[in-house]
Amino acid sequence: MSTLLFRSKSNMSSHLFDVRKTKKINLPSYPDVEIELYDQLLTSDVGKLSNNTTDYDRGIEVLRCLIKSWSFVNEKEEPLTISKENLEKLPTKDFTFLMKEAAEALSFLEIKQKKS
């Protein structure tokens, strides 16, 4: 993880690092699978969302950005990447469950839309 360093007015150095918190959840269809989710998006993630033209693609990208890790594995017991292809393999009830979990991280979008 890279950090940025700056000097404050008091000449104390401060580091810019990922301050997001995470929580662990389990999916309805896969109760033994553990998913670790970030509590918010980074600014760079918001830019990635704007590259998608449909709500579906934005939803996939939100999940891809918010899921820090999961315990899904392939046939060789290697971790599956958190990718569009793998997210699309989830049952819709699990996708919906994840999107509800992600809703709080997206609350800033509702504020932006109300101001528009």
Side-chain angles (χ1 to χ4, degrees):
M1 174 182 3
S2 64
T3 60
L4 297 176
L5 178 67
F6 75 92
R7 296 245 181 241
S8 65
K9 290 181 182 179
S10 63
N11 212 20
M12 300 285 293
S13 60
S14 297
H15 297 271
L16 177 62
F17 57 93
D18 192 344
V19 296
R20 296 178 291 174
K21 295 180 176 92
T22 61
K23 68 177 177 177
K24 295 181 180 180
I25 61 168
N26 304 91
L27 296 176
S29 299
Y30 302 94
D32 294 334
V33 170
E34 186 172 89
I35 297 180
E36 188 173 13
L37 289 173
Y38 288 112
D39 66 340
Q40 58 186 309
L41 296 170
L42 295 175
T43 302
S44 61
D45 297 331
V46 177
K48 293 174 194 171
L49 293 179
S50 65
N51 294 333
N52 294 287
T53 57
T54 67
D55 288 343
Y56 173 78
D57 287 336
R58 279 188 290 275
I60 292 285
E61 188 63 24
V62 164
L63 293 180
R64 210 184 59 68
C65 292
L66 287 179
I67 297 173
K68 180 179 181 182
S69 64
W70 63 13
S71 59
F72 284 113
V73 295
N74 65 17
E75 306 79 36
K76 298 178 185 177
E77 296 296 315
E78 300 165 335
L80 283 180
T81 59
I82 302 161
S83 65
K84 179 178 181 178
E85 294 76 23
N86 287 327
L87 286 166
E88 288 177 331
K89 294 175 185 174
L90 292 173
T92 54
K93 75 177 182 180
D94 292 325
F95 182 83
T96 302
F97 177 81
L98 284 169
M99 287 307 296
K100 286 179 182 175
E101 290 289 327
E104 193 170 308
L106 300 175
S107 61
F108 76 94
L109 291 174
E110 292 174 13
I111 294 167
K112 181 180 173 183
Q113 289 173 349
K114 286 179 184 176
K115 289 182 180 179
S116 302

